[in-house]
Amino acid sequence: TTHNSTMRFILCFSLLFISLNAFSQQKFTISGYIKDASNGEDLQGATAQDENTKIGVVSNNYGYYALSVPAGNVKITYSFVGFKSITKELNLTQNTVLDIQLSDEELEAAEVVADKFKQELENTQMSTVTLSAKEIKTVPVIFGEVDLIKILQLKPGVKSGSEGSSGLYVRGGGADQNLVLLDEAVVYNASHLFGFFSIFNADAVKNVDLYKGDFPAQYGGRLSSVLDVKLKEGNSKKLSVSGGIGLISSRLTVEAPIQKDKSSFIFSARRTYFDIFTRQINKANEGKPKVNPIPDYYFYDMNLKMNFVVGKRDRIFVSGYFGRDVFNFSNRTFKFDFDWGNTTGTFRWNRNISPKLFMNVSLVYSDYKYKINNSFGQFNFSIGSGVKDYNGKIDFDYAINNKNNLRFGVQATQHLFEIGRTSFTSNDGKIDFQAGKGLDATEYGVYVNDEYDINAQWKLNAGLRLSGFNQNGKWYGGLEPRIAARYKVNEKISIKASASQMYQYLNLVSNSGASLPTDIWYPTTGNFKPQMSQQVAAGASFLLGKEGKYLLSNEIYYKKLANQVDLKDGAQLFANDNLEKEFVFGRGWGYGNEIYLEKKSGKLTGWIGYTISWTKRQFADSSNGNGPINGGKTFYPKYDSRHDLSIVAAYAINDKWTFSANFVYRTGNATSIPTDLFVLQDITGAGFVAGGVQERSNFRLPAYHRADLNIIRKRKHKWGESDWTFSIYNVYNRRNAYFVYIETITQDDNNVPLPPTALRRVAKQVALFPIIPSITYNFKF
């Protein structure tokens, strides 16, 4: 009996011990959204860390976090770069939803920088540039028009292609090899003013991420980069109005709660007013002989976004963009109308299926088109092209545990193409010519991506994407593996490496060296394979200085491109129902080294970026009868530039005055000029020199360099704040070559006509922008 009692006591004690131990080891999940306390905006990339275990997680693209911690008393610290950290203590006995609001109170600069640079060292993601709305508005810009793409062009590995252009050429990739997203909607032409400004209104932009090579697996369809632009959600706390008045445009942004802390909206609009002045000048000169009217040009764009909290688990976002460029010219006998632009719309539904499982469903519409109408006498001529997308996707974030986060999803896009629509008609109906065609295709993607903290030193990010493309019943596709690893040497040094493979099924067909509105998007068809790229990169990051005030990084990369598409010499883009006969196919390479030094604390801030790189193309395939380009030999495309140096600095004298400046130097672009010269003589005896291009990129333009200056004078008012921004573009008036042309010299120095055998040709350059001062008034209340 005594023995049985003893056994029962031991058994009860053991069960109690096991139960207590199980309870002590039990974990629960704290989840919710991390927001900006001043306006209710979600904070992407904010950190939630358990102070006991020192394990933390990062909020996703929508500000959502899920942190699993042992039951009992816990202490969680929430932080975000530039915001005041807060700590929450609670007794955790079940899964808990906890939304957090962080305040952007003034912090010690060293603290902000330490957080920012520490995050850079911790991430596995490499080859990435991130810009906030505040950073975008500091750098000097042309005409006082803030442009996020021009700021990205000052970063290593990113080139503009030509002066003033808002195009992107990333690590040897072409202009069409960049996936540009605006709130998840694809933007097919991100330019205003024939490429000199981008469509992104900085007042409406929340943050910008540029991936130069190491793409997360949820992105696909392009080879060289992803530019992901996210719009603000709108102030859910109070009414806020901001805007600016500049020399060429004005802008206005209004954001306010629809229902405080539950729903909000933001509306932003911008318009240039060239046309207001040119119309008055044309009106004053109306009827005067020998006076040509000035073309009528303007652009405008609008952004609208709304968000709604629907219950405890659901949120809905609706956003849209509409922008147009309009160019008109007319006289007594001729009329020319040209307009182009983008329309996008995004509907997004977020749902917390469980504390660890987050779902996002998106329905996206995107439309880009242009149209040119000409009228002369009794005849009308028009050409146009465009691409329209209907996209649906479902993405999941699953926090397996604090060290392992899984992301997976599926996407499908229906593409509708209008290819070079051309018409020529007469008013009497006797002439009616139509050409061009429409194509459609469907693109698919399925992906999975896992980010795993192996230990304190090693972190791995591995993803796999399966992409597919269907055009006219023919299927194309392939696997796109992506992998990146980070090794943390110590608290101030980390080493990273990545490898990726991508497919691209859409091609931008252009017969010019610049990215113009008249370029045509064309899908992969049965006559050629999809483009493909493989890229590897490796680099190291270092925190320098006693308090880690400086971040130094160095990356090397190598990119190999297959199935590249170009046009044969003399290709005909319009009134051509069989455009594929104009294509030539080949391959390419890009490789280089990028060095970047950044300082974000103290009165003097800024960065220095230097890139040495090579970009090559080879089109030796003549299987379709078009013959090789450049005799099948490799050549440097226009956007190849050997050396690229950018220096950006800002000096804050006090809270009222800030000076900033930048200096840019790069090797001149490659170009082609005639090398074969011969003299022709007509029946009157007059002669002229003609020539032909034997080789592509047989000449390089002079080196490009310029300096810009910015002065900002801030003021605080009872109603809000304002500033005057004074900018000078190209301070020392460098006449950089925009392009080179060949001129025939037909007279000597005394204006005496030369005989045909004495005619000669000289190369002359055209410069685009001289020194340009500008002034902008900005306000916010």
Side-chain angles (χ1 to χ4, degrees), residues 33 60 62 183-184 313-319 345-353 358-364 391-397 407-411 447:
Y33 291 91
N60 68 9
Y62 313 103
D183 260 7
E184 302 186 15
R313 292 188 174 187
D314 301 284
R315 299 179 70 194
I316 292 175
F317 301 82
V318 181
S319 63
T346 304
F347 172 85
R348 199 171 72 229
W349 168 37
N350 290 170
R351 179 172 177 81
N352 308 331
I353 297 175
F358 180 90
M359 179 186 72
N360 176 72
V361 178
S362 298
L363 299 175
V364 184
N391 172 260
K393 60 177 185 173
I394 304 177
D395 301 293
F396 295 91
D397 280 332
R407 184 164 189 172
F408 55 96
V410 59
Q411 307 163 358
Y447 74 91

Side-chain angles (χ1 to χ4, degrees), residues 477-743:
L479 289 174
E480 304 179 27
R482 294 100 187 265
I483 186 166
R486 181 224 67 196
Y487 177 73
K488 190 175 178 181
V489 179
N490 54 43
E491 293 301 316
K492 291 191 174 184
I493 302 174
S494 68
I495 300 172
K496 302 179 183 181
S498 67
S500 57
Q501 177 171 292
M502 280 81 72
Y503 285 94
Q504 179 168 329
Y505 303 97
L506 308 184
N507 309 279
L508 187 63
V509 181
S510 171
N511 59 3
S512 69
S515 180
L516 296 176
T518 52
D519 295 342
I520 297 173
W521 285 94
Y522 201 91
T524 293
T525 68
N527 294 324
F528 58 95
K529 298 177 181 179
Q531 299 183 58
M532 186 183 74
S533 75
Q534 296 172 325
Q535 177 173 289
V536 293
S541 299
F542 308 86
L543 286 183
L544 304 178
K546 187 175 181 180
E547 297 177 344
K549 292 183 178 181
Y550 302 87
L551 176 68
L552 174 66
S553 65
N554 185 77
E555 289 189 19
I556 57 174
Y557 69 90
Y558 179 83
K559 179 188 294 182
K560 185 178 180 181
L561 301 160
N563 305 324
Q564 299 300 283
V565 182
D566 205 338
L567 292 172
K568 69 180 183 180
D569 295 330
Q572 176 62 43
L573 291 186
F574 301 103
N576 187 346
D577 287 336
N578 197 354
L579 195 59
E580 294 172 22
K581 287 187 176 181
E582 311 293 323
F583 296 162
V584 183
F585 308 103
R587 52 183 181 164
W589 302 266
Y591 49 93
N593 186 42
E594 302 168 0
I595 302 174
Y596 185 69
L597 176 65
E598 185 176 17
K599 180 178 184 290
K600 281 185 172 289
S601 66
K603 291 184 175 293
L604 179 64
T605 58
W607 71 80
I608 300 174
Y610 170 72
T611 305
I612 180 171
S613 62
W614 289 261
T615 301
K616 297 179 181 180
R617 293 292 186 271
Q618 183 182 36
F619 294 89
D621 184 6
S622 58
S623 58
N624 64 349
N626 286 337
I629 293 177
N630 203 48
K633 296 183 293 185
T634 60
F635 64 91
Y636 298 111
K638 178 180 179 179
Y639 44 89
D640 172 73
S641 181
R642 194 70 57 247
H643 304 281
D644 198 322
L645 173 69
S646 299
I647 302 174
V648 178
Y651 186 77
I653 297 177
N654 49 42
D655 59 355
K656 294 181 179 180
W657 290 94
T658 300
F659 291 81
S660 61
N662 57 255
F663 174 77
V664 178
Y665 174 91
R666 66 171 179 264
T667 303
N669 289 338
T671 190
S672 303
I673 62 172
T675 53
D676 285 345
L677 304 179
F678 50 93
V679 178
L680 298 178
Q681 189 171 8
D682 60 23
I683 58 174
T684 66
F688 61 93
V689 176
V693 178
Q694 278 189 328
E695 294 186 1
R696 287 203 181 187
S697 304
N698 58 355
F699 182 75
R700 196 169 285 276
L701 297 178
Y704 178 96
H705 56 86
R706 74 165 203 278
D708 309 323
L709 180 66
N710 220 28
I711 303 173
I712 302 175
R713 172 65 165 89
K714 298 179 180 179
R715 294 189 63 184
K716 291 187 177 181
H717 312 273
K718 292 182 179 179
W719 49 264
E721 58 188 49
S722 67
D723 70 70
W724 286 96
T725 300
F726 305 89
S727 299
I728 302 177
Y729 180 88
N730 196 6
V731 171
Y732 53 85
N733 199 30
R734 164 75 174 180
R735 305 310 299 269
N736 289 295
Y738 187 61
F739 65 86
V740 170
Y741 69 96
I742 303 300
E743 181 178 2

Side-chain angles (χ1 to χ4, degrees), residues 221-341:
R222 298 295 188 274
L223 301 185
S224 290
S225 77
V226 175
L227 176 60
D228 193 352
V229 180
K230 294 182 176 64
L231 297 176
K232 295 177 181 177
E233 276 108 35
N235 197 320
S236 63
K237 304 290 184 180
K238 61 181 180 180
L239 171 67
S240 176
V241 179
S242 61
I245 302 172
L247 291 180
I248 67 168
S249 70
S250 291
R251 62 191 194 281
L252 181 68
T253 300
V254 180
E255 47 186 317
I258 300 172
Q259 181 182 2
K260 190 174 181 180
D261 294 327
K262 294 290 185 179
S263 57
S264 63
F265 78 91
I266 178 172
F267 174 77
S268 186
R270 178 175 58 164
R271 192 191 192 279
T272 59
Y273 25 72
F274 295 116
D275 56 311
I276 296 176
F277 301 109
T278 57
R279 288 172 188 173
Q280 294 302 316
I281 295 172
N282 289 338
K283 188 176 181 179
N285 292 326
E286 191 173 354
K288 294 181 181 180
K290 297 182 179 180
V291 175
N292 292 320
I294 303 172
D296 193 25
Y297 172 79
Y298 62 94
F299 72 74
Y300 62 92
D301 49 40
M302 295 176 286
N303 295 279
L304 175 64
K305 188 171 184 178
M306 297 180 290
N307 77 92
F308 306 88
V309 176
V310 185
K312 295 182 179 180
R313 292 188 174 187
D314 301 284
R315 299 179 70 194
I316 292 175
F317 301 82
V318 181
S319 63
Y321 168 87
F322 182 81
R324 285 292 180 271
D325 285 64
V326 180
F327 183 92
N328 299 315
F329 177 80
S330 62
N331 56 27
R332 296 180 183 90
T333 60
F334 178 75
K335 184 178 181 181
F336 178 85
D337 296 324
F338 183 16
D339 68 87
W340 69 94

